Amino acid sequence: MRRQHTIRVMPSLPEPIERLRELAFDLHWTWNYDAIDLFRRLDPYHWREVGQNPIRQIAELPQEKLEEAANDDAFLGLLEKVLEEFDDYRRDPSWFQAKHPAMKDARIAYLSMEFGLHESMPIYSGGLGILAGDHLKAASDLAIPLVGVGLMYRRGYFRQYLNADGWQQENYPVYDTFNLPITQVMREDGEPVSFTMDVGGRNVIIQIWQLKVGRITLYLLDSGHADNHPEDRRITEVLYGGDSEMRIRQEIVLGIGGMKALVELGIQCSVFHMNEGHSAFLALERIRRRMDDHQLTFSEAREATRVSHVFTTHTPVPAGIDRFSQELMTKYFKDFWPQIGLDRNAFMDLGGANPNDPASPFNMATMAINLASYVNGVSKLHGEVSRKMYRHQWPSLDLNEIPIDSVTNGVHAASWLSPEMVHVFDRYLGPDWQHDDADKEIWNRIEKISNEELWRAKERARQRLVVFARDRLANQLQQRGESRATVEQAYDALDMEAFTIGFARRFATYKRANLLFRDKERLFRLLRDNERPVQLILAGKAHPKDEPGKNIIREIIHIAREAGVRDRIVFLENYDINVARHMVQGADIWLNTPRVPMEASGTSGMKAALNGTIHVSTFDGWWAEGYNPEIGWTIGHGETYEVPEEQDQIESELLYDLLEKEIVPLFYHRNQGRVPRDWTEMMKRSLLRNCPYFNTSRMLREYTEKAYLPNHQQWSTMVGDDFASAKELSAWKQKMYQGWNEVRVANVNLDSSGKLKVGDEVLVQAGVHLGSLKPVDVQVEIYISRELHDEDAQLISPITMQAGDKREDGAYEYSGTFACQRSGAYTMSVRVLPHHDLLRSPHDLRLISWEE
């Protein structure tokens, strides 16, 4: 057999433009409009043809084009400006160094199954990945010492196209790494960095690629090595492809392999952020390493590692969580659990699986919660939903005390703003808005923006969206084999000035993309109104195995083909970052219709709001905290229904009413000239409320101060003095578990007649039996809650009681007082919780003793 060698020929960039290559290999250019314009100027038509991919553009341009650019004074002037900004960005100090100089030795590893950074790097499917991409970009802007870890999918997520009947088809192209902004990590001797790991009893060679995102590096693991078994090469081939077995193999590589990769690269991290449960196997690998390297027990290693772990859940329903059968877990971990000193039952318990019930699955989110010290949802409402969903893990706690916090998602403003809005912000807000987009004082200047200028910016963005949609529609029809006349009709679709509704997201059934289509007569009346025309642009993919989701797309396509609305409804195939960017920038309203409370966050609406696009949504996700009647509309007020069909009918009618009676009339109400002043005033109020808060700069600061900083400090404590603190805490917990059944509260006395007035103080005394434990091991509290009509009472801050003498009956005397600050009905109890200075939360042990 003839042996063939692969030869890569790199483009020869003339010396004056040599640094174009450096710019192209750092995705910082994706949020710098001057840099984007620089690449576009090389050849605007070719820039569109290569999907705005500068690596591919430079590789494919004729040499004479590159020589021409090297001799173009205007191009060189722009290049010099971009390079100066690029160098200043990397060199200048930022928020993290100024705010947290003591954390100079901190490093955070951020692991995610997908990263959505740009359409030219297709290793994402949707919202989770795009959030992860924005997370890295904001970390770069704030100079947070963070590294990303993910998987290098050779075929990415599927490319969507529709057949003649409107049924979704999937295509999985193989992406050439030569045309991607990644480089293989190499050793000093010139050999690729790689390591071998066990996956289901076979050794798998993992290679590592790196991707620059400003100040941040993203490392991508790749199982496509030629020496691997063909089944193993497919592990990192397709995102979310295959069955449960392929998924567990991918998650083993991400979690366990991610940790191995960091070790191989010599990167020591003090905090590990698991973005969803996909990477939770990382926690097991870290425990194993601590046990091997430092001769710790499982319990000691668990204490030494969990203080480093942050877990963010994005899933509002149990069905959306990765769960693996015990049979599958046994297949892949039967050789692993002995390495961490556990038997099968104890190992399964980490994931909440009942070893006596073979049908009980191993839950990745449960394991992540069990092995993390900070857990959060991604909006305030989602935090509440998550506390309800995992309430069974803390059965003795009221809902509001369950230790699951929330950090509301945000979006990376510079990546999603239209050029027109950037120009308006630069003009009215000054240049600092790009450097500190969480500064409310800067955003207050929005009130000074001229209505006329804001409206012109929106009109230009809408016009670009219409042109983009027409081109995309024509290409879709051509690819489908439609006649030339039909393809030509695509350029007559939509109206540059018509009220435009945008709807783009994953076509899961709970997101109800068809809610607006339930009553065709009312919808068509809106679309066919020549005096106040309405048009609808939709995009989104259904999961390849989601037949109901695919059917919703098909139904919409059939409706869109009906006479009289063909030019008013456009479905854009293959929803990606580029489609999303055009839509959130150009739409007039952003429609979001999930069933409450099934939307964890919904960041597409945040992106739209940053562009002055008004949000219209059910009261779910981020809109439950962002909504105000002065800045948008809500479909209902968060009601839940037992019958989904009833909910759909009611909320579709509410949506039609809003459009017919409020939204469309307001958009077309023009007092003088062509500017809808009432509408633009709402746009300004929306910008003023949403821009300073729903951004990733604020989000990353929250993560830093709620999770990264405390976790780093606890990690520093735990690893010091040969893990003395971890050993101490482990031993103390064992003592608490063994002795807690002796703890009880007795003889509670209130120094009160029962008739109290605001301002009165009440003395509470209690006898507390501790058995073999000591007062230093516990915290005794007066627990006061205000009685409400809903199922969960409102907690008033617990009051710590002081220990007194030990009584003859063996109980310790505790006392404390509480003040009556507000009138109303309250309940009061005394409880005992574990207490240790090294505990992150008194609920870590899930031990509690209430007054009986």
Side-chain angles (χ1 to χ4, degrees):
M1 179 182 292
R2 181 176 62 183
R3 184 175 181 180
Q4 295 180 323
H5 299 270
T6 299
I7 299 172
R8 294 291 193 183
V9 180
M10 302 295 292
S12 178
L13 288 175
E15 191 276 332
I17 62 171
E18 171 60 33
R19 289 192 69 190
L20 270 179
R21 193 191 320 276
E22 181 185 354
L23 291 174
F25 273 94
D26 190 326
L27 291 188
H28 178 258
W29 70 264
T30 64
W31 68 94
N32 183 316
Y33 274 102
D34 285 337
I36 294 170
D37 188 42
L38 185 73
F39 289 118
R40 184 189 294 114
R41 285 194 191 187
L42 286 170
D43 188 324
Y45 175 78
H46 189 253
W47 179 246
R48 290 193 300 272
E49 287 294 299
V50 298
Q52 301 181 89
N53 180 345
I55 306 294
R56 186 177 164 198
Q57 183 189 41
I58 292 171
E60 294 181 5
L61 278 178
Q63 191 64 34
E64 55 266 27
K65 278 277 188 182
L66 299 175
E67 297 289 349
E68 182 182 312
N71 290 289
D72 183 337
D73 288 343
F75 184 86
L76 294 176
L78 181 57
L79 174 60
E80 182 179 2
K81 178 187 177 186
V82 170
L83 287 172
E84 183 178 354
E85 292 174 349
F86 181 59
D87 292 337
D88 287 346
Y89 176 86
R90 293 189 297 181
R91 181 176 53 243
D92 290 350
S94 190
W95 171 82
F96 187 83
Q97 291 93 332
K99 184 74 173 177
H100 301 291
M103 280 187 69
K104 59 181 181 299
D105 59 338
R107 201 158 196 186
I108 300 101
Y110 180 82
L111 292 89
S112 182
M113 194 77 162
E114 51 176 303
F115 286 90
L117 292 152
H118 189 259
E119 59 267 27
S120 63
M121 190 64 202
I123 56 171
Y124 65 95
S125 72
L128 179 72
I130 292 173
L131 175 78
D134 281 7
H135 195 107
L136 297 192
K137 293 174 183 179
S140 174
D141 290 342
L142 298 173
I144 294 173
L146 181 146
V147 296
V149 180
L151 300 182
M152 178 55 220
Y153 303 101
R154 297 283 184 144
R155 303 181 71 176
Y157 197 53
F158 72 89
R159 295 179 64 85
Q160 176 200 54
Y161 65 99
L162 305 182
N163 65 17
D165 190 41
W167 193 258
Q168 174 182 291
Q169 308 290 301
E170 296 90 28
N171 179 35
Y172 294 90
V174 178
Y175 294 100
D176 184 358
T177 56
F178 183 72
N179 288 323
L180 298 177
I182 58 175
T183 56
Q184 197 163 9
V185 181
M186 311 298 284
R187 303 186 191 278
E188 291 183 0
D189 61 5
E191 289 298 312
V193 172
S194 65
F195 61 91
T196 301
M197 63 179 294
D198 175 82
V199 182
R202 264 199 310 262
N203 285 333
V204 180
I205 301 170
I206 303 296
Q207 306 169 106
I208 307 173
W209 299 82
Q210 64 180 354
L211 172 61
K212 293 293 183 183
V213 187
R215 297 180 174 107
I216 304 300
T217 301
L218 169 60
Y219 293 102
L220 300 170
L221 311 186
D222 177 12
S223 70
H225 195 283
D227 291 343
N228 283 336
H229 188 282
E231 283 293 316
D232 298 329
R233 291 201 294 270
R234 285 199 284 270
I235 294 174
T236 59
E237 190 172 75
V238 176
L239 171 61
Y240 302 139
D243 55 13
S244 291
E245 185 153 11
M246 177 56 73
R247 177 66 69 88
I248 196 173
R249 288 158 65 81
Q250 289 183 331
E251 296 188 10
I252 287 170
V253 171
L254 176 61
I256 296 177
M259 186 62 214
K260 288 179 177 287
L262 292 172
V263 171
E264 195 70 27
L265 294 166
I267 299 173
Q268 294 187 343
C269 295
S270 55
V271 179
F272 295 81
H273 189 163
M274 298 174 283
N275 188 41
E276 254 307 340
H278 308 124
S279 59
F281 290 135
L282 160 110
L284 298 177
E285 174 64 9
R286 292 197 66 231
I287 289 172
R288 187 193 68 78
R289 285 183 175 274
R290 287 297 188 212
M291 293 175 68
D292 280 357
D293 295 345
H294 302 280
Q295 291 73 54
L296 302 180
T297 66
F298 172 81
S299 178
E300 292 167 347
R302 179 174 177 170
E303 299 306 327
T305 56
R306 73 184 296 270
V307 294
S308 298
H309 297 156
V310 176
F311 170 54
T312 297
T313 174
H314 295 259
T315 308
V317 290
I321 297 168
D322 276 348
R323 293 176 291 181
F324 299 115
S325 69
Q326 292 186 44
E327 180 183 8
L328 206 55
M329 290 299 296
T330 299
K331 176 178 178 179
Y332 283 91
F333 285 92
K334 65 180 183 298
D335 294 329
F336 186 93
W337 63 60
Q339 298 178 48
I340 56 175
L342 297 182
D343 60 19
R344 181 182 184 277
N345 289 2
F347 183 84
M348 293 299 173
D349 187 60
L350 289 174
N354 180 356
N356 297 317
D357 177 8
S360 173
F362 189 97
N363 186 308
M364 293 296 287
T366 297
M367 181 176 69
I369 291 171
N370 284 333
L371 299 178
S373 64
Y374 181 83
V375 180
N376 71 283
V378 291
S379 68
K380 289 181 180 178
L381 178 59
H382 182 235
E384 295 173 12
V385 170
S386 298
R387 287 189 286 275
K388 289 179 181 178
M389 192 158 68
Y390 296 107
R391 189 174 198 169
H392 61 279
Q393 296 197 39
W394 292 272
S396 297
L397 285 184
D398 285 349
L399 186 68
N400 46 31
E401 281 204 299
I402 290 172
I404 298 177
D405 198 6
S406 65
V407 176
T408 300
N409 282 342
V411 297
H412 187 251
S415 294
W416 295 102
L417 280 167
S418 70
E420 295 82 9
M421 288 300 291
V422 170
H423 176 75
V424 169
F425 286 170
D426 283 346
R427 177 174 166 80
Y428 284 91
L429 308 186
D432 287 344
W433 74 268
Q434 296 202 43
H435 307 299
D436 193 358
D437 54 5
D439 187 336
K440 292 183 180 179
E441 293 302 317
I442 292 175
W443 292 107
N444 284 339
R445 300 170 194 166
I446 282 172
E447 295 176 345
K448 299 179 181 178
I449 296 175
S450 155
N451 287 343
E452 289 76 10
E453 285 191 64
L454 185 60
W455 183 243
R456 282 200 301 271
K458 174 53 73 175
E459 284 193 308
R460 292 192 193 103
R462 188 191 315 113
Q463 289 162 7
R464 280 192 300 102
L465 170 59
V466 169
V467 170
F468 173 81
R470 288 171 176 172
D471 287 344
R472 192 107 173 178
L473 178 60
N475 184 63
Q476 291 170 191
L477 295 170
Q478 190 173 27
Q479 293 296 318
R480 205 177 297 157
E482 300 286 355
S483 67
R484 182 175 178 179
T486 302
V487 173
E488 289 295 325
Q489 288 175 4
Y491 294 102
D492 295 325
L494 306 175
D495 183 332
M496 296 281 190
E497 298 183 357
F499 175 70
T500 303
I501 301 172
F503 182 99
R505 53 192 33 88
R506 182 165 55 91
F507 267 63
T509 52
Y510 79 85
K511 291 179 182 283
R512 299 187 300 177
N514 53 355
L515 192 71
L516 186 57
F517 294 83
R518 284 183 64 89
D519 188 332
K520 286 201 302 183
E521 183 180 341
R522 292 184 75 174
L523 174 61
F524 283 12
R525 215 165 35 235
L526 285 164
L527 298 176
R528 291 169 175 164
D529 187 332
N530 291 324
E531 292 185 6
R532 299 189 304 192
V534 175
Q535 57 196 14
L536 181 59
I537 302 177
L538 306 99
K541 298 177 179 180
H543 188 278
K545 295 181 180 179
D546 184 2
E547 297 296 312
K550 290 182 177 182
N551 196 53
I552 291 175
I553 295 175
R554 179 181 175 275
E555 290 174 0
I556 290 173
I557 295 301
H558 279 250
I559 292 172
R561 290 172 178 170
E562 295 192 24
V565 298
R566 291 176 183 173
D567 60 343
R568 297 293 190 198
I569 306 175
V570 171
F571 183 93
L572 301 179
E573 296 175 13
N574 197 39
Y575 182 43
D576 66 1
I577 289 176
N578 190 33
V579 174
R581 192 185 299 115
H582 280 85
M583 289 186 66
V584 298
Q585 292 173 0
D588 293 300
I589 68 166
W590 195 254
L591 184 61
N592 188 35
T593 53
R595 283 198 183 93
V596 177
M598 299 182 75
E599 185 81 282
S601 176
T603 53
S604 64
M606 299 178 190
K607 301 177 184 86
L610 288 177
N611 285 280
T613 301
I614 303 301
H615 201 52
V616 180
S617 174
T618 52
F619 201 71
D620 203 5
W622 78 279
W623 197 230
E625 60 194 277
Y627 169 71
N628 181 294
E630 297 294 313
I631 68 170
W633 287 271
T634 179
I635 306 165
H637 294 280
E639 300 88 352
T640 57
Y641 298 77
E642 292 185 5
V643 181
E645 178 67 23
E646 179 186 2
Q647 180 178 9
D648 294 350
Q649 182 61 36
I650 292 172
E651 292 182 347
S652 67
E653 291 177 1
L654 288 173
L655 176 56
Y656 292 128
D657 287 345
L658 285 173
L659 287 167
E660 293 166 350
K661 299 174 183 178
E662 297 185 40
I663 300 173
V664 175
L666 184 67
F667 179 85
Y668 282 105
H669 178 63
R670 317 286 164 100
N671 291 328
Q672 296 178 349
R674 298 180 62 255
V675 178
R677 295 192 178 277
D678 292 340
W679 187 270
T680 52
E681 285 296 325
M682 177 176 275
M683 289 171 64
K684 285 161 68 172
R685 291 192 298 270
S686 175
L687 291 168
L688 186 60
R689 180 178 175 90
N690 292 320
C691 288
Y693 186 74
F694 295 105
N695 62 73
T696 42
S697 177
R698 185 271 315 155
M699 182 186 84
L700 261 293
R701 294 175 198 220
E702 268 197 66
Y703 273 120
T704 297
E705 290 166 358
K706 283 184 171 184
Y708 297 163
L709 178 59
N711 280 33
H712 169 73
Q713 291 170 336
Q714 282 196 298
W715 168 84
S716 301
T717 299
M718 286 293 176
V719 300
D721 194 19
D722 192 27
F723 296 90
S725 293
K727 295 173 182 176
E728 175 191 337
L729 186 59
S730 171
W732 176 82
K733 282 189 175 183
Q734 294 304 313
K735 179 182 73 172
M736 299 300 289
Y737 287 129
Q738 292 168 7
W740 195 259
N741 62 348
E742 300 178 273
V743 176
R744 62 186 178 87
V745 180
N747 308 97
V748 177
N749 295 309
L750 278 71
D751 183 18
S752 163
S753 62
K755 298 178 180 179
L756 300 170
K757 295 181 293 184
V758 173
D760 287 349
E761 287 194 346
V762 179
L763 174 65
V764 180
Q765 295 176 311
V768 179
H769 293 271
L770 297 178
S772 59
L773 304 181
K774 304 296 182 187
V776 71
D777 296 319
V778 300
Q779 181 167 302
V780 181
E781 296 178 338
I782 304 170
Y783 185 90
I784 306 169
S785 56
R786 191 176 184 197
E787 291 185 346
L788 300 175
H789 294 296
D790 61 15
E791 62 179 74
D792 293 299
Q794 180 180 1
L795 168 67
I796 310 301
S797 295
I799 299 165
T800 301
M801 302 178 74
Q802 301 302 314
D805 295 334
K806 191 173 184 179
R807 301 188 318 203
E808 289 184 3
D809 63 356
Y812 287 89
E813 190 71 52
Y814 278 83
S815 63
T817 59
F818 69 88
C820 302
Q821 296 179 339
R822 294 176 59 186
S823 60
Y826 296 84
T827 61
M828 190 282 296
S829 298
V830 173
R831 68 180 185 180
V832 187
L833 294 168
H835 172 76
H836 195 287
D837 290 341
L838 292 171
L839 280 182
R840 178 74 173 266
S841 163
H843 306 305
D844 280 355
L845 283 77
R846 304 178 191 181
L847 298 175
I848 188 169
S849 184
W850 289 93
E851 170 192 354
E852 295 181 357

